[in-house]
Amino acid sequence: MKTRVLGTDLTASSIGLGCMGFSHAYGAPTEEREAVRAIRSAFDLGYTLFDTAEVYGTQADPHANERLVGEALRGIRDQVQIVSKFGIHFDEASPSVNKPLVPDARPETIRASVEGSLKRLDTDHIDLYFQHRIDPTVEPEVVAGVMADLIREGKITHWGVSEANEDYLRRAHAVCPVTAVENRYSMMARHYEALFPVLEELHIGLVAFSPMANGLLTGAYGKDARFDPKLDYRSAMPQFTPQAADQNRELLQLLRDLAEQKHATPAQISLSWMLCRKPWIVPIPGTRKVERMRENAGAAEIVLSPEEVAALDEKLDTIPMSAVFGGTRTVSR
């Protein structure tokens, strides 16, 4: 697979693998041996960027995903980039399938988090360490100061902010240079494009999560799609309602038509679109199926001209769309 550079010097595969779904939020967890085999298969396909977090897990094992990723990448650690995250925990008292997030970026919490992640990932450093959500009670300069210390200590090599805004990003970057933001970005969620000029000015990359709107843009889900209301976040997402299927019909047809022209799939077109928009965007679609990993990797070979991207942008500005899941609610600690 081709590579891209995040920030000034973090080279990674042009498409990464979001590993959350093996353990969390997308139905029953994958059996561990099967998940390890799938992640290693992704490496064999050319993926080198693997995204996890300390909170991706199950009720029985809240940190399951980091352990899984660490096991899968053992023996090839020096050939991959591990991404993990700190700074939130779930409000376990909530009955919702998509439990509210409680931000906590106090320095002592960060310190405990990085030590736990390093142990679970079975590594001496994390390549890209994201603040999972902004904590309004902790100044960005304080968080960035801790990151600078962790870099000096060799426990992380790069850091970033997930769901970043301009003010927080500029203030943090002034203390310790930020390598990337990890923000929700897809054809249905484009609000962070307003941040693009800042990213270019500061030489910060974008790791795009939910690049296919939680799978909707693959075209695989219709009105009859059903998801486990106890284990699958999609059961509560607005883009998967029967009404949304009607609202998104034109959008999905647009993808199918362009896919046919390019001898591709709708999923590949949705990924290629963002890859061709900016050279510093690395999408991290999540899948548990090796055939989907192979399909997604193929998007890096599909080239859309600037004119084709502009034409798509124009249509996306006007085409009917349903509401799309915009993120988990946060509450105060």
Side-chain angles (χ1 to χ4, degrees):
M1 195 189 296
K2 297 175 182 176
T3 60
R4 295 192 159 201
V5 177
L6 293 168
T8 59
D9 63 353
L10 181 59
T11 300
S13 53
S14 55
I15 296 174
L17 181 65
C19 297
M20 179 181 75
F22 287 107
S23 311
H24 181 82
Y26 284 84
T30 304
E31 191 276 325
E32 183 175 346
R33 285 176 296 180
E34 181 183 344
V36 167
R37 284 195 296 268
I39 293 171
R40 286 301 291 259
S41 294
F43 173 75
D44 293 338
L45 289 167
Y47 290 81
T48 68
L49 188 77
F50 296 87
D51 181 275
T52 183
E54 66 173 342
V55 294
Y56 297 161
T58 65
Q59 190 171 14
D61 185 357
H63 309 299
N65 204 248
E66 282 189 326
R67 294 187 227 278
L68 183 68
V69 170
E71 173 65 24
L73 300 180
R74 186 174 294 123
I76 55 171
R77 176 65 187 93
D78 61 345
Q79 301 175 65
V80 300
Q81 301 82 45
I82 293 178
V83 179
S84 196
K85 311 180 195 74
F86 67 91
I88 62 169
H89 61 269
F90 292 107
D91 177 8
E92 294 295 344
S94 170
S96 171
V97 62
N98 188 359
K99 298 183 185 303
L101 306 177
V102 184
D104 185 354
R106 291 172 293 179
E108 61 270 27
T109 303
I110 297 173
R111 283 283 179 181
S113 290
V114 74
E115 295 300 337
S117 291
L118 289 170
K119 183 176 181 180
R120 289 185 292 270
L121 290 163
D122 191 24
T123 185
D124 62 356
H125 73 281
I126 296 167
D127 299 282
L128 182 52
Y129 200 39
F130 279 112
Q131 182 177 5
H132 209 151
R133 292 293 183 272
I134 291 172
D135 182 345
T137 69
V138 180
E139 298 296 323
E141 293 83 0
V142 172
V143 175
V146 178
M147 295 300 106
D149 290 342
L150 294 178
I151 290 171
R152 281 192 291 270
E153 295 164 18
K155 293 179 179 179
I156 68 173
T157 60
H158 304 78
W159 86 288
V161 186
S162 184
E163 301 281 30
N165 61 60
E166 180 177 353
D167 177 68
Y168 194 95
L169 195 57
R170 287 188 181 280
R171 290 170 61 186
H173 187 77
V175 174
C176 182
V178 174
T179 292
V181 298
E182 183 170 315
N183 289 356
R184 182 182 307 278
Y185 185 51
S186 73
M187 287 180 164
M188 296 183 75
R190 299 173 61 199
H191 50 285
Y192 278 118
E193 288 179 3
L195 194 63
F196 283 10
V198 179
L199 300 183
E200 292 189 320
E201 174 194 342
L202 301 179
H203 303 290
I204 295 172
L206 169 63
V207 176
F209 75 89
S210 298
M212 289 180 279
N214 306 99
L216 182 79
L217 297 177
T218 65
Y221 301 99
K223 281 188 176 183
D224 59 345
R226 296 290 182 271
F227 305 100
D228 186 336
K230 294 182 179 180
L231 295 173
D232 198 317
Y233 283 15
R234 290 171 295 183
S235 64
M237 291 183 183
Q239 68 265 39
F240 291 107
T241 64
Q243 180 184 9
D246 293 328
Q247 294 170 319
N248 294 322
R249 185 176 292 114
E250 188 176 344
L251 170 62
L252 293 174
Q253 189 59 52
L254 171 68
L255 285 174
R256 283 191 289 267
D257 290 345
L258 187 53
E260 185 175 354
Q261 294 174 30
K262 295 290 182 177
H263 305 289
T265 66
Q268 289 174 328
I269 294 299
S270 68
L271 293 174
S272 176
W273 165 78
M274 64 177 65
L275 289 170
C276 293
R277 289 195 96 249
K278 300 292 181 181
W280 36 261
I281 295 176
V282 174
I284 52 166
T287 182
R288 298 189 270 187
K289 299 178 179 178
V290 175
E291 58 267 31
R292 294 286 80 78
M293 295 175 191
R294 184 176 293 107
E295 176 185 347
N296 294 341
E301 305 302 321
I302 297 167
V303 177
L304 301 177
S305 69
E307 293 76 19
E308 287 173 319
V309 171
L312 268 175
D313 287 348
E314 185 176 353
K315 289 179 179 177
L316 293 172
D317 285 338
T318 58
I319 204 167
M321 293 185 197
S322 72
V324 65
F325 180 65
T328 303
R329 182 170 63 94
T330 60
V331 296
S332 300
R333 66 170 182 268

